[in-house]
């Protein structure tokens, strides 16, 4: 894939990120920082410039689409855009309109699009069933009994979620990255319940954002690393690639998930009294050691990645991990 083709796909992903026009300043800053870090690491696509071009509307959707001639790359661009729009929940009307326009411009294979959209809807449906979209009682209401014992068992559960999300990041299929945030939501839900607090998805996503983990920027980071690292390719009409190759480096979702879980354990175990500033600082303090743990657990992450399929992932989103 040429640098121009990479830039076209990443431009479409960035346009998707801002399609709803409702990104908070903190999320915009996360995407800007991501663009700078990926741009310097990738070396083949000037993401910092692309970010500015999209934000200042110097690049149009027509321009970005015009840089993609290969059918597989056009399909990949659409899949990335859908995943970015789905990052913070169900698509808003502006996002639906953006994706419809993008799909028409890309002139995609109807069968491939339908197959991918079924996968994307399945992940969202599984996530909705695993954690309530809106709690029947007040959000963050106390529950009678904990379902998971805090302590060592909870630490083991957090590690299992981190290993799974690290493995999902090493998979090239779009549905794999789509499952990472729902699994993080599910993990926080279980941690809250273990400490006697019933949460809904809205509350959990607000907590994740307060910690400093950008929902949209997470997807952009995963796809950007895969794209710039050459992990993504096409065969038999589906997105495929190497598992756990050097092109992806570490499975960074392991560290993000592990640190997020540990912050949630402290927050809900301590009576939910931590300020937003303290939540962010605690997450950053935990993220460094979690990144060091990636080296230790990378063989297990790669082994898990080699055995995962879509059915297993959907079951894990719906049920236990």
């Amino acid at each position: 894939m040429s640098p121009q083709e990479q830039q076209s796909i990443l431009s479409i992903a960035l346009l998707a990120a801002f399609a709803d026009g409702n990104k908070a300043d903190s999320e915009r800053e996360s995407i800007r920082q991501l663009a700078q870090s990926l741009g310097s690491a990738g070396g083949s696509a000037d993401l910092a410039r692309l970010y500015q071009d999209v934000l200042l509307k110097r690049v149009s959707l027509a321009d970005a689409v015009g840089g993609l001639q290969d059918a597989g790359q056009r399909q990949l661009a659409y899949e990335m855009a859908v995943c970015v729009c789905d990052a913070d929940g169900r698509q808003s009307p502006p996002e639906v309109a953006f994706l419809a326009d993008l799909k028409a411009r890309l002139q995609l294979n109807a069968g491939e699009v339908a197959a991918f959209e079924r996968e994307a809807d399945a992940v969202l449906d599984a996530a909705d069933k695993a954690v309530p979209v809106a709690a029947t009682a007040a959000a963050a209401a106390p529950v009678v009994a904990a379902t998971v014992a805090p302590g060592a068992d909870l630490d083991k559960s957090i590690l299992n979620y981190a290993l799974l999300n690290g493995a999902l990041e090493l998979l090239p299929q779009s549905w794999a990255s789509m499952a990472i945030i729902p699994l993080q939501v599910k993990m926080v839900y279980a941690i809250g319940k273990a400490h006697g607090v019933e949460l809904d998805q809205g509350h959990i996503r607000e907590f994740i954002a307060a910690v400093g983990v950008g929902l949209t920027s997470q997807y952009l980071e995963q796809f950007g690393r895969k794209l710039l690292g050459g992990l993504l390719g096409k065969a038999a009409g589906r997105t495929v690639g190497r598992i756990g190759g050097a092109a992806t480096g570490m499975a960074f979702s392991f560290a993000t998930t592990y640190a997020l879980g540990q912050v949630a354990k402290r927050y809900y175990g301590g009576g939910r009294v931590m300020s937003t500033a303290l939540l962010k600082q605690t997450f950053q303090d935990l993220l460094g050691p979690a990144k060091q743990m990636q080296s230790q657990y990378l063989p297990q992450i790669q082994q898990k990645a080699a055995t995962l399929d879509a059915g297993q992932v959907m079951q894990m989103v719906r049920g236990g991990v």
Side-chain angles (χ1 to χ4, degrees):
M1 189 180 295
S2 70
Q4 175 58 46
E5 290 163 337
Q6 289 179 338
Q7 290 178 19
S8 291
I9 293 175
L10 290 168
S11 293
I12 290 171
L14 288 169
L15 286 164
F18 295 115
D20 61 3
N22 294 322
K23 288 287 175 289
D25 289 342
S26 59
E27 183 75 336
R28 287 175 179 266
E29 177 61 17
S30 295
I31 296 171
R32 185 192 66 79
Q33 292 176 355
L34 165 66
Q36 288 186 329
S37 63
L38 276 182
S40 60
S44 56
D46 188 352
L47 277 178
R49 180 181 58 78
L50 286 180
Y51 171 83
Q52 291 295 328
D53 287 346
V54 169
L55 204 61
L56 299 175
K57 299 183 179 180
R58 293 193 296 240
V59 60
S60 68
L61 187 57
D63 294 333
V65 170
L68 298 174
Q69 302 302 318
D70 178 76
Q73 292 169 7
R74 294 199 301 271
Q75 175 71 19
L76 174 61
Y78 179 70
E79 292 183 8
M80 288 180 67
V82 170
C83 291
V84 168
C85 288
D86 285 344
D88 50 6
R90 296 285 179 175
Q91 296 166 14
S92 65
E95 288 172 331
V96 171
F98 170 83
L99 291 173
D101 185 21
L102 175 62
K103 181 162 46 174
R105 292 177 184 274
L106 289 170
Q107 299 180 338
L108 302 171
N109 177 283
E112 287 190 27
V113 170
F116 167 73
E117 289 176 343
R118 284 194 298 270
E119 292 170 351
D121 289 342
V123 172
L124 293 176
D125 290 342
D128 287 349
K129 293 174 182 176
V131 176
V133 176
T136 53
V143 296
V144 176
T147 58
V148 182
D153 288 345
L154 203 51
D155 285 332
K156 182 179 179 181
S157 176
I158 292 170
L159 178 59
N160 285 338
Y161 276 105
L163 290 169
L164 176 57
N165 277 350
L168 288 174
E169 187 180 338
L170 295 186
L171 296 178
Q173 293 89 348
S174 297
W175 57 258
S177 291
M178 287 191 69
I180 290 174
I181 290 175
L183 283 168
Q184 289 175 343
V185 169
K186 184 176 174 61
M187 176 186 69
V188 174
Y189 176 78
I191 292 169
K193 202 164 188 178
H195 291 290
V197 182
E198 187 80 39
L199 306 169
D200 65 22
Q201 285 205 36
H203 176 93
I204 295 170
R205 289 174 183 271
E206 288 175 2
F207 168 78
I208 293 174
V211 167
V213 180
L215 298 175
T216 303
S217 57
Q218 267 202 95
Y219 275 117
L220 287 172
E221 184 173 14
Q222 292 153 21
F223 282 122
R225 279 201 303 268
K226 289 179 180 180
L227 185 67
L228 296 177
L231 180 68
L232 294 169
K234 297 293 291 187
R238 304 303 302 148
T239 307
V240 297
R242 295 184 293 119
I243 291 176
T248 61
M250 285 293 193
F252 289 99
S253 291
F254 171 93
T256 300
T257 303
Y258 187 83
L260 175 64
Q262 291 297 328
V263 174
K265 189 179 76 167
R266 296 185 187 187
Y267 178 69
Y268 294 108
R272 293 177 282 160
V273 296
M274 297 170 72
S275 66
T276 299
L278 183 56
L279 283 172
K280 289 184 177 180
Q281 185 59 54
T282 303
F283 175 76
Q284 289 300 321
D285 291 343
L286 290 166
L287 191 59
K291 287 180 178 178
Q292 294 178 350
M293 291 173 65
Q294 290 171 160
S295 297
Q296 175 186 350
Y297 286 102
L298 186 58
Q300 291 174 247
I301 294 170
Q302 291 173 322
Q303 184 178 17
K304 187 178 288 288
T307 62
L308 286 174
D309 60 35
Q312 289 174 307
V313 174
M314 295 301 178
Q315 184 58 41
M316 290 173 181
V317 173
R318 294 190 194 97
V321 175

